[in-house]
Amino acid sequence: MALRDLGAEVRAVRTAVDLDDVRALVIPGGESSAMLRLMKPENLSHKIVERTRAGMAVLATCAGVILLAQTVVPTQPSLAVLAIDVERNAYGRQVCSTIAEVDLSPDFGDPPRMEGVFIRAPRITGREASVEVLGSWGNDAVLVRQDRVLAATFHPELTGDRRVHELFLRIGEEANG
Ligand code: GLN
């Protein structure tokens, strides 16, 4: 596991009570509609919104980004804590899964690019000024940050480059003083 390799203590969050035990949260890839259903009965989603608004560090990847987005196409409920618009499965069948070079913001240092594994990825079709683009693939923003929320439409855990997770841990440390 990427975060454990970097020395972080990791545990699973399945219920609203589990969330009390963690200082930062990863919302992974998967299937966003199924994840929404799983979050419902426990009211986990409500608590994630509350904690995120209060400044918890969050790393969302792929389906996790869809869950956080303010609007989703085709229409789907979301937590709406990240000021981006996304379109699900927007890259179509041909690039349903692909590995592409992501151009990184200079803050990441060398090398200036990172391999991005895209698996039925959403496309970020719009964003507010509060959302900073940290990585792009062609004209598309694929790694963005808003306050302490870091969101990648690709899967940084599937390659060896740990710079996204390192940044997430730094954001988490900053959040917890
Ligand atoms: N296509 C999925 C969804 O819409 C996301 C895919 C992924 O997380 N790799 O939820």
Side-chain angles (χ1 to χ4, degrees), residues 82-169:
L82 180 58
I84 59 168
D85 309 309
V86 298
E87 187 182 341
R88 291 179 68 196
N89 305 318
Y91 294 102
R93 285 199 173 180
Q94 260 143 34
V95 283
C96 152
S97 287
T98 193
I99 300 179
E101 290 289 316
V102 173
D103 294 309
L104 297 171
S105 87
D107 294 345
F108 282 96
D110 272 337
R113 296 176 133 197
M114 159 185 292
E115 256 187 357
V117 179
F118 293 85
I119 305 170
R120 298 180 65 229
R123 173 183 263 148
I124 298 175
T125 53
R127 64 187 159 83
E128 286 179 14
S130 56
V131 178
E132 189 189 353
V133 178
L134 300 183
S136 39
W137 171 25
N139 290 325
D140 290 342
V142 294
L143 175 64
V144 297
R145 177 177 178 176
Q146 176 191 286
D147 303 322
R148 295 204 179 106
V149 178
L150 195 56
T153 60
F154 59 98
H155 286 267
E157 76 282 8
L158 295 181
T159 51
D161 195 322
R162 286 289 158 262
R163 285 180 287 172
V164 172
H165 292 84
E166 282 164 0
L167 174 60
F168 170 59
L169 290 180

